[in-house]
Amino acid sequence: MHSTTLLALLALVLLYLVSGALVFQALEQPHEQQAQRELGEARERFLKGHPCVSDQDLGLFIKEVADALGGGANPDTNSTSHSNYSAWDLGSAFFFSGTIITTIGYGNVALRTDAGRLFCIFYALVGIPLFGILLAGVGDRLGSSLRRGIGNIEAIFLKWHVPPELVRILSAVLFLLIGCLLFVLTPTFVFCYVEGWSKLEAIYFVIVTLTTVGFGDYVAGANPNQNSAAYQPLVWFWILLGLAYFASVLTTIGNWLRVVSRRTRAEMGGFTAQAASWTGTVTARVTQRGGPTEPPPPEKERPLLPPPPCSAQPAGRPPSPALPEKAEPPSPPTASALDYPSENLAFIDESSDTQSERGCALPRAPRGRRRPPNPSRKPERPRRPGRPRDKDVPV
């Protein structure tokens, strides 16, 4: 990625973060201030109703309650009542381990012992890569199964003579709809029924979980009234399949972007090849004509008169055409002759001076005499006119 693109992307992300911060501040800060005022009023009412309790003792009690709740304690139980609920029973501990290796980390239950924190470090370092490998494999199988089923639907559409472009769009839409139905909408209604949440709260939990954000304000199975030991492990398996589906979606998007990028590079490469071929063709034609790259002087300063025929040619150079005799009929025009629009173009300069500089010795016939035509020789191509030497110009 180029530095300019990287800086532009960083600026876009920072702008997105700032806009999100402003929106969340405008939405949540008034609610926070209202909750703080209500907490202060409740505290004052408690102190007025219980004058024997000091403000400092009440503050210490609130802190202890908060720490206990963070450790998974149930506020509805006391030393005399007993409850079967525990934040660290086998099902809850299994779910907590699952939130570690999936990097969700709700935070509603936290480790309070040094030994537990030390074990969590090594457990996460080993479990997160292991879960990543499992997620890739499950996502591959899940995506293949969905695409196989959608492929059968595509075959039906193609039998109905639906255009292939429309079939691709329909298959992508079906892939998204089936995944959302299985891993988003169905769990939403299940959580509404089991947890007693509203539809907004349930879909909020689903999206926050499958995106591995995991705020922890809503956690499935955290309700003390939930007594099923298999409920949270089942929730974790749903998380596994949901993350695998989203991974397959991201993989599909990545493959599509790679295909688009390769196609774009291929098209640009083809355009570059065409441009290079055109440039090479033009350069070859200019070289074949012997035309200079700079504009020549005006025609009036360079009189064009037919030079005497040149029979000797340098090695490796194609023979130059000579002017035909009057008695001989001119040869038919060849393909190379079609490259020249006129014989009097100023940039065509193949004079005897130029040829002599290139090493062509031009044998000259005595003045007033002409060589007899050779009947065995083929008629030569017309010679392009050039500028003769000064001594060859008739006086």
Side-chain angles (χ1 to χ4, degrees):
M1 184 178 293
H2 297 289
S3 301
T4 306
T5 306
L6 184 61
L7 292 176
L9 184 61
L10 177 61
L12 179 61
V13 171
L14 291 177
L15 180 63
Y16 191 76
L17 290 175
V18 171
S19 61
L22 293 176
V23 172
F24 287 129
Q25 182 184 21
L27 295 176
E28 297 295 330
Q29 192 174 32
H31 179 74
E32 177 197 9
Q33 295 173 354
Q34 179 66 23
Q36 190 66 38
R37 285 194 298 267
E38 292 177 356
L39 178 60
E41 294 174 358
R43 183 179 184 133
E44 291 178 0
R45 287 196 303 268
F46 181 83
L47 292 176
K48 288 180 181 180
H50 303 82
C52 58
V53 180
S54 64
D55 189 10
Q56 184 178 2
D57 294 338
L58 180 59
L60 291 175
F61 176 73
I62 294 174
K63 184 178 179 181
E64 292 175 359
V65 170
D67 292 339
L69 293 176
N74 186 4
D76 296 333
T77 60
N78 51 40
S79 58
T80 58
S81 62
H82 299 279
S83 175
N84 294 328
Y85 171 78
S86 174
W88 293 105
D89 58 8
L90 185 58
S92 300
F94 179 87
F95 185 74
F96 177 80
S97 301
T99 59
I100 293 175
I101 65 175
T102 57
T103 68
I104 294 177
Y106 288 112
N108 62 317
V109 177
L111 300 171
R112 297 297 177 180
T113 62
D114 293 339
R117 292 166 182 168
L118 182 62
F119 176 74
C120 181
I121 294 173
F122 294 99
Y123 188 80
L125 291 177
V126 176
I128 292 175
L130 185 62
F131 179 77
I133 298 173
L134 175 64
L135 187 65
V138 174
D140 187 20
R141 288 297 184 90
L142 184 62
S144 300
S145 300
L146 290 176
R147 283 191 291 270
R148 192 179 302 114
I150 294 174
N152 297 329
I153 301 176
E154 288 181 354
I156 296 175
F157 284 140
L158 292 176
K159 288 181 180 178
W160 293 346
H161 304 287
V162 179
E165 295 79 7
L166 184 58
V167 171
R168 294 191 189 97
I169 296 175
L170 291 176
S171 62
V173 172
L174 285 175
F175 184 75
L176 295 176
L177 288 179
I178 293 175
C180 291
L181 178 63
L182 292 177
F183 304 111
V184 177
L185 294 181
T186 302
T188 298
F189 290 104
V190 171
F191 291 134
C192 288
Y193 176 76
V194 176
E195 298 290 340
W197 296 336
S198 64
K199 292 182 176 60
L200 178 60
E201 293 172 343
I203 197 170
Y204 167 77
F205 168 75
V206 169
I207 298 300
V208 166
T209 298
L210 295 183
T211 55
T212 68
V213 176
F215 290 117
D217 49 353
Y218 290 91
V219 180
N223 190 355
N225 298 326
Q226 183 58 246
N227 297 323
S228 177
Y231 176 65
Q232 284 190 320
L234 291 176
V235 172
W236 184 84
F237 280 104
W238 159 73
I239 293 174
L240 171 63
L241 295 177
L243 291 178
Y245 167 73
F246 276 95
S248 64
V249 169
L250 294 178
T251 302
T252 304
I253 294 175
N255 294 336
W256 177 74
L257 291 177
R258 274 195 292 271
V259 169
V260 171
S261 178
R262 290 175 184 175
R263 187 174 300 173
T264 303
R265 286 198 298 267
E267 292 176 355
M268 293 301 296
F271 176 76
T272 305
Q274 291 179 0
S277 175
W278 180 81
T279 305
T281 303
V282 173
T283 305
R285 287 185 177 181
V286 172
T287 305
Q288 183 182 3
R289 295 175 184 179
T293 56
E294 297 181 359
E299 187 178 355
K300 62 181 181 179
E301 297 179 1
R302 303 172 57 142
L304 300 177
L305 295 176
C310 177
S311 60
Q313 298 293 337
R317 180 180 176 86
S320 300
L323 289 175
E325 299 291 340
K326 292 183 179 180
E328 297 179 359
S331 61
T334 60
S336 60
L338 297 177
D339 294 336
Y340 307 102
S342 174
E343 293 184 353
N344 294 325
L345 291 177
F347 65 85
I348 300 177
D349 183 16
E350 197 67 29
S351 62
S352 58
D353 293 333
T354 306
Q355 293 183 356
S356 59
E357 289 175 1
R358 296 178 182 176
C360 176
L362 299 176
R364 301 182 181 275
R367 192 176 296 234
R369 295 179 55 188
R370 291 187 178 274
R371 295 176 182 176
N374 187 1
S376 63
R377 291 183 59 185
K378 297 181 180 180
E380 297 180 347
R381 293 169 51 189
R383 175 178 174 81
R384 291 174 293 175
R387 187 181 65 183
R389 294 169 180 254
D390 295 338
K391 63 183 180 179
D392 295 333
V393 178
V395 179

